[in-house]
Amino acid sequence: MPDLTVGGAGVFRNYLASDAQASVVDDLRDVVAAAPLFSPETRWGKAMSVRMTSAGKYGWFSDRRGYRYEPRHPSGVDWPPVPESILAIWHGVTGLERGPDCCLVNFYGEGARMGLHQDKDEADFNWPVVSVSLGDDGLFRIGGAERKGSTQSLWLSSGDVLVLGGEARLAYHGVDRIRFGTSQLLNEGGRINLTMRVVD
Ligand code: SIN
Ligand code: MN
C-alpha cells in the first residue's frame, strides 16, 4: 500500500533503503556504459535540460519528428536489458506478473527540470507507470488529465517510488527543480528518475 496518494498517484516513501539505492545505481552504471546518456531535442528543436537513456525492449526518444519509442539507442546498439534490481521494484509496487517494456533513465544535473507533460506514447493506458527517484530531491508537480487544471507539488527524495495508474495514468506531471547536493548517493550530485512503462 502506498503511504499517500497525490493527484491519484500512489507514493511509496523511502521504498528503497540506502543499500538498495546503491545497488540500483551500480546496475545503472552498466546501463549507461552500454547506452550512454544523451540530450534529446524537443519537437521544437530545443535540447532538453535532462540527459537520458533507456533499458528494455524500447527506449523513449524525442527529436523534431516528435516523441516516440525506438528499438535502439541513437548509436545503433540495442538498449541493454532492464536490471533485475529495477524490475523487482516494478513487480513489488504493482503486483503485476508482466514486466515493463521500457525503463527510461532521466538524469537531472544542476538546473535541470522537466516541463508538465503526459506519458501518452504507449499503446494501452491500463498499464501503470512506475517512477523511481534517486539522488537529490526533486520538486514534482502533478495535475489532472487536462493541462489547465490545478496542480499539487511534493518533494520526492531518494528511494521514493510513485505509481501512476488508474485516474492518474494520464495526469500531467513534471519536475520544477531539484535541490542540487541534497543527497550523497551520486558522487557528482544530481537526480536520477527511472520511469518504467509497458509500451506495446
Ligand atoms: C518523467 O516524467 O519522465 C520524469 C518524472 C520525474 O523525474 O520524477
Ligand atoms: Mn513523464
Side-chain angles (χ1 to χ4, degrees), residues 104 106 108 114 117 119 131-133 140 156 162 173-175 191-195 197:
L104 172 65
N106 285 318
Y108 296 73
M114 186 172 294
H117 65 277
D119 286 9
S131 154
V132 181
S133 292
F140 185 78
L156 292 176
L162 218 83
H173 59 278
V175 173
R191 173 174 185 262
I192 294 173
N193 174 260
L194 307 175
T195 313
R197 303 161 180 161

Side-chain angles (χ1 to χ4, degrees), residues 115-160:
L116 273 188
H117 65 277
Q118 292 171 296
D119 286 9
K120 59 172 187 186
D121 304 316
E122 302 76 30
D124 183 351
F125 303 133
N126 287 310
W127 298 106
V129 168
V130 172
S131 154
V132 181
S133 292
L134 295 164
D136 290 339
D137 297 344
L139 184 58
F140 185 78
R141 182 199 289 264
I142 182 164
E146 304 289 330
R147 182 179 280 281
K148 285 205 175 121
S150 62
T151 62
Q152 287 174 270
S153 295
L154 79 158
W155 282 98
L156 292 176
S157 303
S158 201
D160 290 349

